[in-house]
């Protein structure tokens, strides 16, 4: 068949695990992450259609024979846009790529009676390949009908991590919301203090350069995305407030020149990390060696 010959000609791409799938529609397919996934699906021999913000007049046609619909739109619009997808074919897989999972998964299960899966690629659009990247996924409904999709991600090089939506969102409170917020606050602080960035760079050890890179890269990305991620749940804001409180308590210690309390707290944290403290020391040495090699190339 034509599909088979396309799949076998597709030697610059990837093996296609579901060659009989009807078209894949990516809602938000012109966006950053959406276009990355459109490219990957196309390279794997799937027929891909994009449904952009201007295309809703044609939505019925675009969606009519969809085999899978993937939602990749701004976080704050995701649930509303999912609710517009009420007429999908019964066997169509409905998936999303949103950085938060509970709300979108719930909305997908409500609007569609067929297979549903929530996906969170733990990477941005700037990666060169999916090798070693993680995709978290939350089962929604009829998991047997989208196993091929999970395997397709593995063919692209990704590692899959199955998790419930609630646990995912709890984990992201630390992994995304707090981390991005501390980067944001550090960036605001740097900009206010206004040091000469070049001089900072020339004085910095590799580990500080990495820290600067971690913070600086945030500001090369989309402000709306990070505002949405950080403020996506009250739990995130509660967590950030607890961090702020502990920060304040630590400042008190400084005002009191209280090195004893500092050392006690240090010891408690050291114990908490346990064997990981040593492990992280070794791992960061390896990372720094790599970072060093690449800056001297
Ligand atoms: P983006 O702004 O680049 O893309 C969103 C796209 O949705 C845009 O093309 C926009 O025009 C389109 N859109 C807006 N309203 C629409 C509508 N009513 N109908 C159809 N399309 C509409 O954002 P992005 O960074 O690609 O993020 C998209 C999703 O991917 C978000 O849910 C985000 O949480 C998730 N995500 C992003 C990253 C990342 O680093 N960028 C990482 C993981 C997950």
């Amino acid at each position: 068949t034509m599909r088979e010959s396309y799949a076998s000609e597709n030697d610059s791409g990837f093996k296609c695990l579901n060659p009989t799938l009807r078209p894949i529609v990516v809602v938000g397919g012109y966006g950053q992450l959406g276009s990355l996934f459109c490219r990957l699906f196309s390279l794997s021999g799937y027929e891909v259609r994009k449904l952009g913000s201007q295309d809703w007049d044609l939505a019925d046609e675009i969606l009519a024979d969809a085999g899978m619909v993937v939602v990749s739109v701004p976080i704050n619009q995701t649930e509303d846009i999912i609710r517009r997808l009420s007429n999908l074919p019964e066997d169509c897989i409905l998936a999303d790529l949103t950085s938060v999972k509970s709300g979108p998964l719930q909305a997908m299960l409500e609007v569609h009676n067929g297979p549903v899966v929530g996906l969170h690629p733990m990477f941005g659009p700037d990666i060169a390949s999916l090798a070693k990247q993680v995709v978290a996924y939350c089962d929604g409904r009829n998991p047997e009908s989208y196993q091929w999709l999970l395997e397709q991600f593995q063919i692209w090089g990704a590692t899959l991590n199955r998790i419930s939506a609630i646990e995912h969102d709890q984990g992201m409170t630390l992994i995304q919301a707090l981390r991005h917020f501390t980067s944001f606050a550090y960036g605001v602080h740097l900009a206010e203090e206004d040091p000469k960035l070049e001089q900072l760079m020339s004085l910095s050890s590799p580990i500080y350069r990495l820290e600067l890179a971690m913070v600086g890269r945030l500001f090369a990305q989309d402000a709306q995305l990070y505002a949405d991620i950080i403020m996506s749940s009250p739990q995130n804001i509660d967590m950030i407030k607890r961090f702020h409180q502990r920060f304040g308590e630590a400042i008190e210690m400084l005002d009191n020149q209280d090195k004893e309390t500092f050392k006690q707290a240090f010891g408690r944290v050291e114990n908490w990390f346990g064997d990981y403290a040593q492990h992280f020391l070794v791992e960061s040495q390896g990372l720094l060696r790599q970072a060093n090699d690449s800056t001297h190339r």
Side-chain angles (χ1 to χ4, degrees):
T1 70
M2 236 169 84
R3 277 183 189 277
E4 275 160 1
S5 66
Y6 182 54
S8 58
E9 273 169 28
N10 173 27
D11 55 353
S12 63
F14 300 95
K15 187 176 170 196
C16 181
L17 290 186
N18 192 356
T20 60
L21 184 75
R22 298 190 308 269
I24 298 175
V25 177
V26 180
V27 182
Y30 297 102
Q32 296 190 71
L33 202 65
S35 50
L36 171 70
F37 277 84
C38 285
R39 200 158 61 243
L40 287 164
F41 283 124
S42 294
L43 280 172
S44 310
Y46 297 98
E47 186 184 336
V48 176
R49 296 179 188 160
K50 299 184 179 197
L51 199 162
S53 55
Q54 310 301 312
D55 301 335
W56 284 93
D57 287 348
L58 301 169
D60 285 347
E61 267 167 73
I62 298 174
L63 294 166
D65 60 342
M68 176 163 78
V69 172
V70 181
V71 179
S72 181
V73 297
I75 297 179
N76 60 342
Q77 294 173 53
T78 299
E79 290 177 40
D80 288 341
I81 291 173
I82 288 172
R83 291 205 182 87
R84 295 192 208 167
L85 302 170
S86 54
N87 274 322
L88 302 180
E90 187 75 31
D91 64 344
C92 177
I93 299 165
L94 179 56
D96 77 310
L97 304 177
T98 319
S99 304
V100 296
K101 294 274 51 90
S102 299
L105 188 66
Q106 192 59 38
M108 291 194 296
L109 287 167
E110 281 167 19
V111 81
H112 181 54
N113 291 322
V116 166
V117 59
L119 305 164
H120 181 193
M122 305 297 301
F123 47 83
D126 59 333
I127 51 153
S129 93
L130 260 57
K132 296 193 181 159
Q133 300 289 347
V134 175
V135 179
Y137 73 97
C138 306
D139 284 324
R141 190 186 295 118
N142 303 354
E144 65 288 352
S145 42
Y146 55 75
Q147 289 313 302
W148 66 269
L149 175 65
L150 304 177
E151 282 165 34
Q152 189 73 57
F153 292 154
Q154 286 170 318
I155 286 190
W156 295 340
T159 302
L160 288 159
N161 197 328
R162 179 171 175 265
I163 190 163
S164 76
I166 289 173
E167 278 180 293
H168 168 277
D169 290 356
Q170 282 166 351
M172 289 309 129
T173 292
L174 279 168
I175 295 171
Q176 294 205 313
L178 180 66
R179 183 171 62 91
H180 295 321
F181 182 76
T182 56
S183 291
F184 167 80
Y186 193 53
V188 168
H189 177 67
L190 277 179
E192 293 291 330
E193 296 287 322
D194 195 21
K196 288 202 180 68
L197 202 44
E198 270 148 53
Q199 196 180 58
L200 270 192
M201 302 261 290
S202 63
L203 289 174
S204 37
S205 62
I207 192 108
Y208 184 68
R209 272 188 85 103
L210 269 189
E211 186 172 330
L212 214 48
M214 287 268 295
V215 171
R217 77 189 302 279
L218 183 78
F219 298 92
Q221 300 174 71
D222 184 26
Q224 181 69 53
L225 175 67
Y226 287 102
D228 285 349
I229 288 177
I230 293 167
M231 299 179 213
S232 64
S233 81
Q235 288 91 305
N236 289 355
I237 296 166
D238 290 347
M239 173 78 81
I240 290 168
K241 284 183 176 162
R242 288 200 298 281
F243 181 68
H244 180 238
Q245 190 189 336
R246 294 191 176 109
F247 211 102
E249 286 160 10
I251 298 275
E252 247 170 72
M253 198 169 63
L254 302 189
D255 277 337
N256 299 333
Q257 285 285 315
D258 189 352
K259 294 185 185 168
E260 265 324 299
T261 306
F262 180 91
K263 285 189 279 187
Q264 280 165 16
F266 198 101
R268 277 200 306 280
V269 179
E270 184 187 348
N271 276 334
W272 181 80
F273 271 104
D275 292 342
Y276 277 108
Q278 188 60 33
H279 172 89
F280 287 148
L281 183 63
V282 173
E283 186 176 333
S284 60
Q285 279 161 349
L287 285 173
L288 289 173
R289 225 172 289 120
Q290 284 173 22
N292 224 20
D293 289 351
S294 65
T295 44
H296 291 295
R297 215 168 267 151

